[in-house]
């Protein structure tokens, strides 16, 4: 019905999305994201999608519909004329999308999740009969892979890279059984060398270059 909505848009409003008009849709299961460089076309596109959906026995749940304006101010309306709630951050498929284009909120969410996951595996990190090598395999598979997933295409500033490296160093210290630097006087460089590890920002950079 998305294709039918595009046809209606062209027939009824003379808006041809196959031309140079920057208006697209991203569909995953029942989550649909409509994107446009101009609000007017997007409003009509959303209406066409809602109207066409009815012919397939489907309907948009406008109580869950949200909008986000980037570098502009535009208010979208539902079929009843009520304003659709506008946000500076949206969550789509588990990812945080920010109107200012930064990755800070997404990175913060990922680091928080990684910290909780790391804490759940306390028995692994404190188990004396498990080697550091095995613990590193668990750490990379269960924590690092999940944390870095989807960041290959993200631009992360120096502050964000420091947060990644700080979290990584804290986890490695726990695996190695080394107290924080202000207590143990052992540097992060030494900890990385002992576990044959690299800073997380360097690992991410390698992934980005490969991507």
């Amino acid at each position: 019905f998305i294709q039918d909505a595009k046809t209606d848009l062209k027939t009824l409003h003379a808006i041809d999305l196959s031309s140079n008009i920057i208006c697209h849709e991203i569909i995953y299961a029942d989550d649909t994201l409509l994107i446009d460089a101009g609000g007017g076309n997007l409003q009509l596109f959303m209406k066409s999608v809602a109207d066409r959906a009815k012919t397939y026995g489907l309907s948009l749940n406008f109580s869950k519909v949200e909008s986000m304006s980037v570098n502009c101010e535009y208010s979208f309306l539902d079929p009843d004329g009520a304003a659709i709630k506008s946000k500076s951050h949206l969550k789509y498929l588990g990812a945080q999308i920010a109107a200012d284009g930064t990755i800070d909120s997404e990175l913060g969410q990922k680091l928080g999740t990684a910290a909780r996951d790391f804490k759940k595996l306390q028995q692994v990190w404190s188990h004396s009969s498990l080697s550091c090598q095995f613990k590193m395999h668990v750490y990379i598979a269960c924590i690092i892979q999940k944390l870095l997933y989807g960041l290959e295409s993200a631009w992360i500033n120096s502050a964000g890279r420091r947060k990644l490296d700080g979290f990584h160093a804290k986890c490695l210290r726990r695996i190695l059984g080394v107290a924080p630097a202000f207590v143990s006087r052992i540097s992060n460089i030494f900890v990385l060398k002992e576990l044959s590890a690299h800073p997380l920002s360097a690992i991410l950079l390698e992934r980005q270059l490969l991507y």
Side-chain angles (χ1 to χ4, degrees), residues 141-183:
C142 299
I143 308 299
I144 296 301
Q145 296 295 346
K146 184 177 179 180
L147 174 59
L148 297 185
Y149 178 77
L151 293 182
E152 289 87 350
S153 59
W155 181 85
I156 301 177
N157 57 23
S158 57
R161 293 194 294 271
R162 285 196 299 270
K163 288 180 181 178
L164 284 172
D165 289 339
F167 169 80
H168 188 47
K170 184 178 180 180
C171 292
L172 294 183
R173 284 177 178 275
R174 179 69 183 86
I175 291 172
L176 200 59
V178 176
F182 68 89
V183 175

Side-chain angles (χ1 to χ4, degrees), residues 113-125 146:
T113 302
R116 290 193 296 271
D117 291 343
F118 187 85
K119 189 175 182 180
K120 290 178 182 177
L121 294 171
Q122 284 289 0
Q123 288 185 327
V124 176
W125 317 133
K146 184 177 179 180

Side-chain angles (χ1 to χ4, degrees), residues 7-22:
T7 301
D8 290 347
L9 204 59
K10 182 178 180 180
T11 304
L12 301 176
H13 304 287
I15 299 175
D16 186 3
L17 299 187
S18 62
S19 63
N20 293 327
I21 297 176
I22 306 174

Side-chain angles (χ1 to χ4, degrees), residues 7-207:
T7 301
D8 290 347
L9 204 59
K10 182 178 180 180
T11 304
L12 301 176
H13 304 287
I15 299 175
D16 186 3
L17 299 187
S18 62
S19 63
N20 293 327
I21 297 176
I22 306 174
C23 192
H24 304 284
E25 78 285 344
I26 301 174
I27 306 171
Y28 184 86
D30 60 344
D31 294 318
T32 302
L33 181 65
L34 303 181
I35 308 170
D36 188 18
N41 292 337
L42 192 59
Q43 177 74 59
L44 291 171
F45 190 21
M46 181 177 62
K47 183 180 184 305
S48 296
V49 169
D51 292 342
R52 264 300 175 175
K54 294 177 182 178
T55 64
Y56 289 86
L58 302 171
S59 63
L60 294 183
N61 187 348
F62 278 93
S63 64
K64 294 184 177 180
V65 174
E66 298 172 335
S67 68
M68 183 176 71
S69 299
V70 179
N71 295 328
C72 67
E73 292 184 7
Y74 194 92
S75 297
F76 294 93
L77 305 175
D78 65 18
D80 297 326
I84 292 174
K85 51 190 173 186
S86 179
K87 291 189 172 183
S88 59
H89 295 79
L90 290 179
K91 192 170 185 178
Y92 183 66
L93 302 182
Q96 290 285 344
I97 306 173
D100 58 5
T102 63
I103 196 71
D104 294 349
S105 57
E106 172 69 5
L107 184 61
Q109 176 182 289
K110 280 181 168 289
L111 285 170
T113 302
R116 290 193 296 271
D117 291 343
F118 187 85
K119 189 175 182 180
K120 290 178 182 177
L121 294 171
Q122 284 289 0
Q123 288 185 327
V124 176
W125 317 133
S126 60
H127 208 297
S128 59
S129 64
L130 297 177
S131 66
C132 286
Q133 184 180 11
F134 178 80
K135 292 177 182 179
M136 281 297 292
H137 285 315
V138 175
Y139 172 62
I140 292 171
C142 299
I143 308 299
I144 296 301
Q145 296 295 346
K146 184 177 179 180
L147 174 59
L148 297 185
Y149 178 77
L151 293 182
E152 289 87 350
S153 59
W155 181 85
I156 301 177
N157 57 23
S158 57
R161 293 194 294 271
R162 285 196 299 270
K163 288 180 181 178
L164 284 172
D165 289 339
F167 169 80
H168 188 47
K170 184 178 180 180
C171 292
L172 294 183
R173 284 177 178 275
R174 179 69 183 86
I175 291 172
L176 200 59
V178 176
F182 68 89
V183 175
S184 63
R185 301 300 178 185
I186 296 176
S187 68
N188 289 339
I189 296 175
F190 177 83
V191 173
L192 289 168
K193 187 176 180 180
E194 280 293 295
L195 293 172
S196 300
H198 300 283
L200 204 54
S201 58
I203 297 173
L204 177 59
L205 177 59
E206 183 179 356
R207 291 189 176 200

